[in-house]
Amino acid sequence: MAQNNTEQKITREQFLSLARLARLSFSEEESEDFIRGFEEMISFCDGINSEIEGDASTIREVGSREIALDDLREDSVCPSLPNEKILSNVQGEHGYFSVKRVVK
Amino acid sequence: MKYQLVSGFETHVELATDTKIFCGCSTKFGASPNTHCCPVCTGQPGALPVLNKKVVEYAIRAGLATHCTINTITHLDRKNYCYPDLPKAYQISQFDKPLCEHGYVELESGKKIRLTRIHIEEDAGKLVHERGHTLIDYNRGGVPLIEIVSEPDISSPEEAREYVEKLQLIMRYIGVSDCKMQEGSMRCDVNISLCPEGSDVLGTRTEIKNMNSITFIERAMAYEAERQAEILDAGGKVEQATMRFDEATGETYVMRTKEDAQDYRYFPEPDLLTVHIPKERVEEIAASLPELPLEKLRRYTGELGISQHNARLLYKYKAVCDFFEACLALGAGAKNTANLILGTVYSTLATEEEKEAFDIKVSAGDMAALVKYVDGGKINVTLAQMTLAKMLKEGGALSQYITESDLAGVSEEQLISLCREAIANNPKAAEDYLAGKQKAIGGLFGYIKRATQGKADIRRAEEIIKGLLSQK
Ligand SMILES: [Zn+2]
């Protein structure tokens, strides 16, 4: 990896904020693990960035690919999946998905 | 202190497409839970969204009908948040390149409520909270929405009502949504702040979420303005917050404050391509727009000379306007057509939905012919009303109801002799009337109506009878 590893790329606060937004909780040990993992991912992207610097022709931005209005999907109904199939991997109840109550 | 209310609206409108925004599942309302679902709209790993063309077209229609500029290059963005109504843990929406921008909705006073933007997005699933758990129905998940964001140009609950009603009408006229607030196909988030009268410093605003009735919007706004004024008068500060309106108590309460404001981490949606809309297509859509509600209302009261009251009752329903205008195109007079629709036809259409659908047994052709008989003095209004009422009930062609002899009418001589007969046959009614009982004359009219099967001009008969009686 070309980047300087001593510079911290993700702070503990940033990690905790992301965890909160994702409604996930982590133990002290897990947090350390994840922060290290995130750092590696960011370093990997920085690596790509430095590789392509000066030669933008090798990359394409997501938004640069276009589709014309008339090539979009027509508005015609396709069959949906049967209810049993939709609920086959979850805890269902009277045809609904069921989770722990989310409001007080 | 006196304050000025400052309010902006974010209005979600469900588009009336047959399928969802990113998959071919049906959008029909009222199906059993989780029966309009597939891997795409339940966020299964690996499933990819495909944008529905009609959603973009409808959103452009909505934008053009509200005087927006259409961005011909537009893309979708991912709005991240974790809540069980979103199976993917993100909503596909638009952030920095909304489809439509810089429009307005005009009120009857001429005031324009500016629109910041209109963007497309997917609706979330529906949650039912029960004891101990929450049930989720993803039928609504992925139903296409437009979000219409206004500038803070609304300055009273009454203006808010008119703004929402006008938006509703516009969307119905252009056929992009039924805007049924009670079914949730139109919902408003209302931002409210106060500023001291005469000042232009905006106060801290609160937002009342998810309002689905115009009456409740008015009430919630009035309550919230009052609440904020009390805080400010006591020297306090309004806290920026998201509120809910409790329909039972008529009060607003804080749902969350600024501290727990969401960070949506928007980024361009990598699963969808940027959409390019050729300028000619925008022009085509613009050319296909019908006359808009406010223009129609002004034309009805102006050019057509219909009273404000009547014009308002007509223009609320697009299907009624179409029928009314079809009659006019066939040569029927505006006033008599309007009166027959508002009187006789409306009395058979009890609900808003029935008027909206305007599914009646009388064709515009027969209606126009009937009105023309009245316009030309061939039959009187009473007979026209009776005939129309029968046709509405039993169907069939006008010629089955109005015969040649009906059209012959009742001549002045016939009417005078009938009036004499009526008085001679009802001496008691005549005496009572002469003794001052105004109502007694009704018995004489009844006689004439029966004798002529309603064809006689009762107003003329009244003149004749009064003349005859005064000679007594
Ligand atoms: Zn689907």
Side-chain angles (χ1 to χ4, degrees), chain A residues 35-93:
Chain A
I35 291 173
R36 218 173 300 124
F38 278 140
E39 299 237 302
E40 275 169 28
M41 272 187 259
I42 292 169
S43 297
F44 178 73
C45 293
D46 283 346
I48 295 175
N49 267 342
S50 62
E51 285 296 320
I52 58 165
E53 220 147 85
D55 183 14
S57 66
T58 55
I59 52 154
R60 275 178 100 184
E61 233 183 296
V62 171
S64 68
R65 289 173 299 154
E66 275 184 16
I67 182 167
L69 175 63
D70 284 324
D71 294 331
L72 294 174
R73 178 173 62 83
E74 293 298 331
D75 184 36
S76 52
V77 177
C78 301
S80 299
L81 288 182
N83 182 266
E84 313 81 71
K85 194 105 195 205
I86 280 294
L87 296 177
S88 59
N89 292 322
V90 297
Q91 188 191 347
E93 203 174 313

Short mmCIF file of all heavy atoms in Angstrom, two decimals, chain A residues 35-93:
data_model
loop_
_atom_site.label_atom_id
_atom_site.label_comp_id
_atom_site.label_asym_id
_atom_site.label_seq_id
_atom_site.Cartn_x
_atom_site.Cartn_y
_atom_site.Cartn_z
N ILE A 35 -12.73 -0.86 12.79
CA ILE A 35 -12.00 0.37 12.43
C ILE A 35 -10.80 -0.01 11.57
O ILE A 35 -10.56 0.60 10.52
CB ILE A 35 -11.56 1.13 13.70
CG1 ILE A 35 -12.81 1.70 14.39
CG2 ILE A 35 -10.58 2.23 13.36
CD1 ILE A 35 -12.57 2.34 15.74
N ARG A 36 -10.11 -1.08 11.96
CA ARG A 36 -8.96 -1.53 11.17
C ARG A 36 -9.42 -1.91 9.77
O ARG A 36 -8.82 -1.54 8.76
CB ARG A 36 -8.28 -2.72 11.87
CG ARG A 36 -6.76 -2.68 11.76
CD ARG A 36 -6.11 -3.79 12.61
NE ARG A 36 -6.43 -3.70 14.02
CZ ARG A 36 -6.99 -4.69 14.74
NH1 ARG A 36 -7.27 -5.86 14.18
NH2 ARG A 36 -7.26 -4.53 16.02
N GLY A 37 -10.56 -2.63 9.69
CA GLY A 37 -11.10 -3.06 8.41
C GLY A 37 -11.44 -1.88 7.51
O GLY A 37 -11.09 -1.86 6.33
N PHE A 38 -12.08 -0.88 8.10
CA PHE A 38 -12.44 0.33 7.33
C PHE A 38 -11.19 1.02 6.81
O PHE A 38 -11.14 1.48 5.68
CB PHE A 38 -13.24 1.31 8.21
CG PHE A 38 -14.69 0.97 8.31
CD1 PHE A 38 -15.37 1.08 9.51
CD2 PHE A 38 -15.40 0.58 7.18
CE1 PHE A 38 -16.72 0.78 9.60
CE2 PHE A 38 -16.76 0.27 7.27
CZ PHE A 38 -17.42 0.37 8.48
N GLU A 39 -10.18 1.10 7.67
CA GLU A 39 -8.93 1.77 7.28
C GLU A 39 -8.33 1.08 6.07
O GLU A 39 -7.88 1.72 5.13
CB GLU A 39 -7.93 1.73 8.43
CG GLU A 39 -8.46 2.44 9.66
CD GLU A 39 -7.55 3.55 10.12
OE1 GLU A 39 -6.39 3.26 10.40
OE2 GLU A 39 -8.01 4.70 10.17
N GLU A 40 -8.38 -0.24 6.09
CA GLU A 40 -7.80 -1.00 4.96
C GLU A 40 -8.58 -0.70 3.68
O GLU A 40 -8.00 -0.52 2.62
CB GLU A 40 -7.83 -2.50 5.26
CG GLU A 40 -6.61 -2.94 6.06
CD GLU A 40 -6.74 -4.36 6.59
OE1 GLU A 40 -7.45 -5.17 5.94
OE2 GLU A 40 -6.16 -4.65 7.66
N MET A 41 -9.92 -0.64 3.81
CA MET A 41 -10.74 -0.35 2.62
C MET A 41 -10.40 1.02 2.06
O MET A 41 -10.26 1.20 0.85
CB MET A 41 -12.23 -0.37 2.99
CG MET A 41 -12.86 -1.73 2.89
SD MET A 41 -14.62 -1.57 3.13
CE MET A 41 -14.75 -2.11 4.82
N ILE A 42 -10.30 2.00 2.96
CA ILE A 42 -10.02 3.36 2.50
C ILE A 42 -8.64 3.42 1.85
O ILE A 42 -8.46 4.04 0.80
CB ILE A 42 -10.16 4.37 3.65
CG1 ILE A 42 -11.65 4.46 4.05
CG2 ILE A 42 -9.64 5.75 3.25
CD1 ILE A 42 -11.90 5.21 5.34
N SER A 43 -7.67 2.74 2.45
CA SER A 43 -6.32 2.71 1.88
C SER A 43 -6.34 2.09 0.49
O SER A 43 -5.69 2.56 -0.44
CB SER A 43 -5.38 1.89 2.75
OG SER A 43 -5.25 2.49 4.00
N PHE A 44 -7.17 1.05 0.34
CA PHE A 44 -7.29 0.38 -0.95
C PHE A 44 -7.81 1.37 -2.01
O PHE A 44 -7.27 1.47 -3.11
CB PHE A 44 -8.25 -0.81 -0.81
CG PHE A 44 -8.50 -1.56 -2.08
CD1 PHE A 44 -7.51 -2.37 -2.62
CD2 PHE A 44 -9.70 -1.43 -2.77
CE1 PHE A 44 -7.73 -3.06 -3.80
CE2 PHE A 44 -9.93 -2.11 -3.94
CZ PHE A 44 -8.94 -2.94 -4.46
N CYS A 45 -8.84 2.14 -1.63
CA CYS A 45 -9.39 3.12 -2.57
C CYS A 45 -8.38 4.22 -2.87
O CYS A 45 -8.25 4.65 -4.01
CB CYS A 45 -10.67 3.75 -2.00
SG CYS A 45 -12.00 2.57 -1.87
N ASP A 46 -7.65 4.65 -1.82
CA ASP A 46 -6.61 5.65 -2.05
C ASP A 46 -5.59 5.12 -3.04
O ASP A 46 -5.09 5.85 -3.90
CB ASP A 46 -5.91 5.98 -0.73
CG ASP A 46 -6.77 6.89 0.14
OD1 ASP A 46 -7.76 7.45 -0.41
OD2 ASP A 46 -6.47 7.04 1.34
N GLY A 47 -5.31 3.81 -2.90
CA GLY A 47 -4.36 3.18 -3.81
C GLY A 47 -4.84 3.30 -5.25
O GLY A 47 -4.08 3.68 -6.14
N ILE A 48 -6.12 2.99 -5.47
CA ILE A 48 -6.69 3.09 -6.82
C ILE A 48 -6.60 4.53 -7.30
O ILE A 48 -6.16 4.82 -8.42
CB ILE A 48 -8.17 2.63 -6.84
CG1 ILE A 48 -8.24 1.15 -6.50
CG2 ILE A 48 -8.80 2.92 -8.19
CD1 ILE A 48 -9.65 0.60 -6.37
N ASN A 49 -6.96 5.45 -6.41
CA ASN A 49 -6.91 6.87 -6.76
C ASN A 49 -5.53 7.28 -7.25
O ASN A 49 -5.41 7.98 -8.27
CB ASN A 49 -7.27 7.73 -5.53
CG ASN A 49 -8.74 8.05 -5.52
OD1 ASN A 49 -9.42 7.95 -6.55
ND2 ASN A 49 -9.26 8.43 -4.36
N SER A 50 -4.49 6.85 -6.54
CA SER A 50 -3.15 7.30 -6.92
C SER A 50 -2.70 6.62 -8.22
O SER A 50 -1.97 7.20 -9.01
CB SER A 50 -2.15 7.05 -5.79
OG SER A 50 -2.08 5.67 -5.55
N GLU A 51 -3.23 5.40 -8.47
CA GLU A 51 -2.90 4.71 -9.72
C GLU A 51 -3.43 5.46 -10.92
O GLU A 51 -2.77 5.58 -11.95
CB GLU A 51 -3.52 3.30 -9.73
CG GLU A 51 -2.83 2.28 -8.84
CD GLU A 51 -1.41 1.98 -9.29
OE1 GLU A 51 -1.20 1.89 -10.53
OE2 GLU A 51 -0.52 1.87 -8.42
N ILE A 52 -4.69 5.91 -10.84
CA ILE A 52 -5.32 6.50 -12.01
C ILE A 52 -5.08 7.98 -12.14
O ILE A 52 -5.48 8.61 -13.11
CB ILE A 52 -6.86 6.27 -12.00
CG1 ILE A 52 -7.45 6.88 -10.73
CG2 ILE A 52 -7.19 4.81 -12.12
CD1 ILE A 52 -8.94 7.01 -10.79
N GLU A 53 -4.43 8.57 -11.13
CA GLU A 53 -4.19 10.01 -11.17
C GLU A 53 -3.55 10.41 -12.49
O GLU A 53 -2.61 9.78 -12.96
CB GLU A 53 -3.29 10.42 -10.01
CG GLU A 53 -3.72 11.73 -9.39
CD GLU A 53 -3.43 11.73 -7.91
OE1 GLU A 53 -2.29 12.07 -7.57
OE2 GLU A 53 -4.34 11.35 -7.13
N GLY A 54 -4.11 11.44 -13.12
CA GLY A 54 -3.52 11.92 -14.36
C GLY A 54 -4.01 11.16 -15.58
O GLY A 54 -3.80 11.58 -16.70
N ASP A 55 -4.68 10.05 -15.40
CA ASP A 55 -5.18 9.30 -16.55
C ASP A 55 -6.64 8.94 -16.33
O ASP A 55 -6.97 7.80 -16.03
CB ASP A 55 -4.33 8.05 -16.77
CG ASP A 55 -4.79 7.29 -18.01
OD1 ASP A 55 -5.58 7.87 -18.82
OD2 ASP A 55 -4.40 6.13 -18.17
N ALA A 56 -7.50 9.92 -16.49
CA ALA A 56 -8.91 9.73 -16.20
C ALA A 56 -9.60 8.83 -17.22
O ALA A 56 -10.71 8.36 -17.00
CB ALA A 56 -9.62 11.07 -16.12
N SER A 57 -8.94 8.57 -18.36
CA SER A 57 -9.58 7.78 -19.42
C SER A 57 -9.82 6.33 -18.98
O SER A 57 -10.64 5.63 -19.56
CB SER A 57 -8.74 7.81 -20.68
OG SER A 57 -7.52 7.13 -20.42
N THR A 58 -9.09 5.89 -17.96
CA THR A 58 -9.24 4.50 -17.54
C THR A 58 -10.44 4.28 -16.62
O THR A 58 -10.79 3.17 -16.30
CB THR A 58 -7.98 4.01 -16.79
OG1 THR A 58 -7.74 4.91 -15.71
CG2 THR A 58 -6.78 3.94 -17.71
N ILE A 59 -11.04 5.39 -16.17
CA ILE A 59 -12.22 5.21 -15.30
C ILE A 59 -13.44 5.88 -15.90
O ILE A 59 -13.34 6.76 -16.74
CB ILE A 59 -12.00 5.81 -13.89
CG1 ILE A 59 -11.52 7.27 -14.02
CG2 ILE A 59 -11.07 4.97 -13.06
CD1 ILE A 59 -11.87 8.10 -12.82
N ARG A 60 -14.59 5.39 -15.45
CA ARG A 60 -15.84 6.05 -15.83
C ARG A 60 -16.68 6.24 -14.59
O ARG A 60 -16.88 5.31 -13.83
CB ARG A 60 -16.61 5.16 -16.82
CG ARG A 60 -16.16 5.36 -18.23
CD ARG A 60 -16.93 4.42 -19.11
NE ARG A 60 -18.03 5.11 -19.79
CZ ARG A 60 -18.88 4.48 -20.56
NH1 ARG A 60 -18.82 3.17 -20.69
NH2 ARG A 60 -19.82 5.15 -21.16
N GLU A 61 -17.14 7.44 -14.46
CA GLU A 61 -18.00 7.74 -13.32
C GLU A 61 -19.33 7.02 -13.50
O GLU A 61 -19.81 6.88 -14.63
CB GLU A 61 -18.28 9.24 -13.32
CG GLU A 61 -17.97 9.94 -12.03
CD GLU A 61 -18.35 11.39 -12.15
OE1 GLU A 61 -17.74 12.09 -12.98
OE2 GLU A 61 -19.29 11.78 -11.43
N VAL A 62 -19.94 6.61 -12.39
CA VAL A 62 -21.24 5.94 -12.47
C VAL A 62 -22.22 6.78 -13.29
O VAL A 62 -22.89 6.31 -14.19
CB VAL A 62 -21.82 5.72 -11.06
CG1 VAL A 62 -23.26 5.23 -11.14
CG2 VAL A 62 -20.96 4.72 -10.30
N GLY A 63 -22.29 8.07 -12.96
CA GLY A 63 -23.28 8.94 -13.56
C GLY A 63 -23.05 9.27 -15.02
O GLY A 63 -23.87 9.91 -15.65
N SER A 64 -21.93 8.86 -15.58
CA SER A 64 -21.64 9.26 -16.96
C SER A 64 -22.33 8.35 -17.97
O SER A 64 -22.38 8.65 -19.15
CB SER A 64 -20.14 9.27 -17.21
OG SER A 64 -19.66 7.94 -17.16
N ARG A 65 -22.87 7.22 -17.50
CA ARG A 65 -23.57 6.34 -18.42
C ARG A 65 -25.03 6.77 -18.47
O ARG A 65 -25.67 6.93 -17.45
CB ARG A 65 -23.46 4.89 -17.96
CG ARG A 65 -22.05 4.34 -18.14
CD ARG A 65 -21.94 2.96 -17.53
NE ARG A 65 -22.22 3.02 -16.10
CZ ARG A 65 -22.68 1.99 -15.40
NH1 ARG A 65 -22.93 0.85 -15.99
NH2 ARG A 65 -22.88 2.10 -14.10
N GLU A 66 -25.55 6.95 -19.69
CA GLU A 66 -26.89 7.50 -19.83
C GLU A 66 -27.85 6.52 -20.46
O GLU A 66 -27.46 5.66 -21.23
CB GLU A 66 -26.84 8.73 -20.75
CG GLU A 66 -26.49 10.00 -20.02
CD GLU A 66 -26.56 11.19 -20.95
OE1 GLU A 66 -27.15 11.09 -22.05
OE2 GLU A 66 -26.01 12.24 -20.55
N ILE A 67 -29.12 6.71 -20.13
CA ILE A 67 -30.17 5.97 -20.82
C ILE A 67 -31.21 6.99 -21.26
O ILE A 67 -31.49 7.95 -20.53
CB ILE A 67 -30.78 4.88 -19.91
CG1 ILE A 67 -31.84 4.08 -20.66
CG2 ILE A 67 -31.37 5.47 -18.63
CD1 ILE A 67 -32.26 2.79 -19.97
N ALA A 68 -31.73 6.82 -22.48
CA ALA A 68 -32.73 7.78 -22.98
C ALA A 68 -34.09 7.43 -22.40
O ALA A 68 -34.38 6.26 -22.13
CB ALA A 68 -32.78 7.73 -24.50
N LEU A 69 -34.90 8.45 -22.22
CA LEU A 69 -36.24 8.27 -21.63
C LEU A 69 -37.00 7.12 -22.29
O LEU A 69 -37.58 6.26 -21.63
CB LEU A 69 -37.04 9.57 -21.76
CG LEU A 69 -38.49 9.53 -21.29
CD1 LEU A 69 -38.60 9.23 -19.80
CD2 LEU A 69 -39.21 10.85 -21.60
N ASP A 70 -36.96 7.08 -23.62
CA ASP A 70 -37.76 6.07 -24.32
C ASP A 70 -37.23 4.65 -24.19
O ASP A 70 -37.92 3.71 -24.56
CB ASP A 70 -37.94 6.47 -25.78
CG ASP A 70 -38.97 7.58 -25.91
OD1 ASP A 70 -39.95 7.55 -25.12
OD2 ASP A 70 -38.79 8.48 -26.75
N ASP A 71 -36.02 4.51 -23.65
CA ASP A 71 -35.48 3.16 -23.47
C ASP A 71 -35.76 2.61 -22.07
O ASP A 71 -35.36 1.49 -21.75
CB ASP A 71 -33.97 3.17 -23.72
CG ASP A 71 -33.67 3.49 -25.17
OD1 ASP A 71 -34.52 3.16 -26.02
OD2 ASP A 71 -32.61 4.08 -25.44
N LEU A 72 -36.45 3.39 -21.26
CA LEU A 72 -36.79 2.91 -19.91
C LEU A 72 -37.87 1.84 -19.99
O LEU A 72 -38.49 1.64 -21.03
CB LEU A 72 -37.26 4.07 -19.03
CG LEU A 72 -36.20 5.13 -18.72
CD1 LEU A 72 -36.83 6.30 -17.98
CD2 LEU A 72 -35.06 4.55 -17.88
N ARG A 73 -38.12 1.18 -18.88
CA ARG A 73 -39.08 0.08 -18.81
C ARG A 73 -40.51 0.57 -19.05
O ARG A 73 -40.92 1.61 -18.54
CB ARG A 73 -38.99 -0.56 -17.42
CG ARG A 73 -39.98 -1.70 -17.17
CD ARG A 73 -39.70 -2.40 -15.84
NE ARG A 73 -39.85 -1.51 -14.69
CZ ARG A 73 -41.02 -1.23 -14.12
NH1 ARG A 73 -42.14 -1.74 -14.59
NH2 ARG A 73 -41.07 -0.43 -13.08
N GLU A 74 -41.29 -0.21 -19.83
CA GLU A 74 -42.70 0.12 -20.04
C GLU A 74 -43.48 -0.20 -18.76
O GLU A 74 -43.11 -1.10 -18.02
CB GLU A 74 -43.28 -0.71 -21.20
CG GLU A 74 -42.71 -0.38 -22.56
CD GLU A 74 -42.97 1.06 -23.00
OE1 GLU A 74 -44.00 1.64 -22.59
OE2 GLU A 74 -42.14 1.59 -23.78
N ASP A 75 -44.58 0.51 -18.57
CA ASP A 75 -45.38 0.35 -17.35
C ASP A 75 -46.37 -0.80 -17.50
O ASP A 75 -47.58 -0.58 -17.53
CB ASP A 75 -46.10 1.68 -17.07
CG ASP A 75 -46.89 1.65 -15.77
OD1 ASP A 75 -46.42 1.01 -14.81
OD2 ASP A 75 -47.96 2.29 -15.71
N SER A 76 -45.88 -2.03 -17.61
CA SER A 76 -46.84 -3.14 -17.68
C SER A 76 -46.57 -4.15 -16.55
O SER A 76 -45.42 -4.49 -16.27
CB SER A 76 -46.82 -3.81 -19.05
OG SER A 76 -45.51 -4.14 -19.38
N VAL A 77 -47.67 -4.60 -15.96
CA VAL A 77 -47.58 -5.40 -14.73
C VAL A 77 -47.00 -6.80 -15.01
O VAL A 77 -47.37 -7.45 -15.99
CB VAL A 77 -48.97 -5.55 -14.08
CG1 VAL A 77 -48.91 -6.45 -12.84
CG2 VAL A 77 -49.53 -4.18 -13.71
N CYS A 78 -46.06 -7.23 -14.17
CA CYS A 78 -45.53 -8.60 -14.20
C CYS A 78 -46.03 -9.29 -12.94
O CYS A 78 -46.28 -8.64 -11.94
CB CYS A 78 -44.01 -8.60 -14.16
SG CYS A 78 -43.27 -7.73 -15.52
N PRO A 79 -46.14 -10.62 -12.98
CA PRO A 79 -46.60 -11.30 -11.77
C PRO A 79 -45.63 -11.08 -10.61
O PRO A 79 -44.42 -11.08 -10.81
CB PRO A 79 -46.64 -12.77 -12.16
CG PRO A 79 -46.26 -12.86 -13.59
CD PRO A 79 -45.87 -11.53 -14.10
N SER A 80 -46.18 -10.89 -9.42
CA SER A 80 -45.35 -10.79 -8.22
C SER A 80 -45.13 -12.20 -7.68
O SER A 80 -45.69 -13.15 -8.20
CB SER A 80 -46.06 -9.94 -7.18
OG SER A 80 -46.28 -8.65 -7.67
N LEU A 81 -44.33 -12.31 -6.63
CA LEU A 81 -44.12 -13.63 -6.03
C LEU A 81 -45.28 -13.94 -5.08
O LEU A 81 -45.86 -13.03 -4.50
CB LEU A 81 -42.81 -13.64 -5.25
CG LEU A 81 -41.52 -13.62 -6.07
CD1 LEU A 81 -40.31 -13.68 -5.15
CD2 LEU A 81 -41.49 -14.78 -7.06
N PRO A 82 -45.60 -15.23 -4.93
CA PRO A 82 -46.65 -15.57 -3.96
C PRO A 82 -46.22 -15.19 -2.54
O PRO A 82 -45.02 -15.20 -2.23
CB PRO A 82 -46.81 -17.08 -4.08
CG PRO A 82 -45.79 -17.56 -5.03
CD PRO A 82 -45.06 -16.40 -5.61
N ASN A 83 -47.18 -14.87 -1.73
CA ASN A 83 -46.91 -14.43 -0.36
C ASN A 83 -46.03 -15.42 0.41
O ASN A 83 -45.10 -15.03 1.12
CB ASN A 83 -48.25 -14.19 0.36
CG ASN A 83 -48.07 -13.67 1.76
OD1 ASN A 83 -48.05 -14.45 2.70
ND2 ASN A 83 -47.90 -12.37 1.90
N GLU A 84 -46.30 -16.74 0.25
CA GLU A 84 -45.52 -17.75 1.00
C GLU A 84 -44.05 -17.66 0.62
O GLU A 84 -43.16 -17.83 1.45
CB GLU A 84 -45.97 -19.19 0.70
CG GLU A 84 -47.45 -19.45 0.72
CD GLU A 84 -48.11 -19.03 -0.58
OE1 GLU A 84 -47.91 -19.67 -1.63
OE2 GLU A 84 -48.83 -18.01 -0.54
N LYS A 85 -43.81 -17.39 -0.66
CA LYS A 85 -42.44 -17.33 -1.17
C LYS A 85 -41.73 -16.11 -0.58
O LYS A 85 -40.59 -16.17 -0.16
CB LYS A 85 -42.51 -17.24 -2.69
CG LYS A 85 -41.21 -17.48 -3.38
CD LYS A 85 -41.20 -18.84 -4.02
CE LYS A 85 -39.76 -19.18 -4.38
NZ LYS A 85 -39.64 -20.12 -5.47
N ILE A 86 -42.45 -14.97 -0.60
CA ILE A 86 -41.88 -13.73 -0.08
C ILE A 86 -41.52 -13.89 1.40
O ILE A 86 -40.50 -13.40 1.87
CB ILE A 86 -42.90 -12.57 -0.27
CG1 ILE A 86 -42.87 -12.06 -1.71
CG2 ILE A 86 -42.64 -11.40 0.68
CD1 ILE A 86 -41.59 -11.39 -2.15
N LEU A 87 -42.35 -14.64 2.12
CA LEU A 87 -42.13 -14.77 3.57
C LEU A 87 -41.33 -16.03 3.93
O LEU A 87 -41.16 -16.34 5.11
CB LEU A 87 -43.48 -14.79 4.30
CG LEU A 87 -44.31 -13.52 4.21
CD1 LEU A 87 -45.64 -13.70 4.92
CD2 LEU A 87 -43.57 -12.33 4.80
N SER A 88 -40.81 -16.75 2.89
CA SER A 88 -40.24 -18.07 3.18
C SER A 88 -39.02 -18.05 4.09
O SER A 88 -38.76 -19.02 4.79
CB SER A 88 -39.94 -18.81 1.88
OG SER A 88 -39.03 -18.06 1.11
N ASN A 89 -38.26 -16.96 4.08
CA ASN A 89 -37.06 -16.94 4.92
C ASN A 89 -37.19 -16.08 6.16
O ASN A 89 -36.19 -15.76 6.80
CB ASN A 89 -35.86 -16.43 4.10
CG ASN A 89 -35.48 -17.41 3.02
OD1 ASN A 89 -35.53 -18.62 3.25
ND2 ASN A 89 -35.14 -16.91 1.86
N VAL A 90 -38.40 -15.64 6.46
CA VAL A 90 -38.54 -14.73 7.59
C VAL A 90 -39.64 -15.20 8.52
O VAL A 90 -40.38 -16.12 8.22
CB VAL A 90 -38.89 -13.29 7.12
CG1 VAL A 90 -37.79 -12.72 6.27
CG2 VAL A 90 -40.22 -13.29 6.37
N GLN A 91 -39.72 -14.47 9.62
CA GLN A 91 -40.79 -14.75 10.55
C GLN A 91 -42.01 -13.97 10.07
O GLN A 91 -42.04 -12.74 10.13
CB GLN A 91 -40.35 -14.26 11.93
CG GLN A 91 -41.28 -14.66 13.03
CD GLN A 91 -40.92 -13.93 14.30
OE1 GLN A 91 -39.86 -13.32 14.43
NE2 GLN A 91 -41.83 -13.98 15.25
N GLY A 92 -43.00 -14.69 9.56
CA GLY A 92 -44.18 -14.01 9.06
C GLY A 92 -45.35 -14.17 10.00
O GLY A 92 -45.35 -15.03 10.88
N GLU A 93 -46.34 -13.30 9.81
CA GLU A 93 -47.53 -13.38 10.65
C GLU A 93 -48.71 -12.84 9.86
O GLU A 93 -48.69 -11.68 9.44
CB GLU A 93 -47.31 -12.53 11.90
CG GLU A 93 -48.17 -12.94 13.07
CD GLU A 93 -47.79 -12.16 14.32
OE1 GLU A 93 -46.58 -12.06 14.61
OE2 GLU A 93 -48.69 -11.64 14.96
#
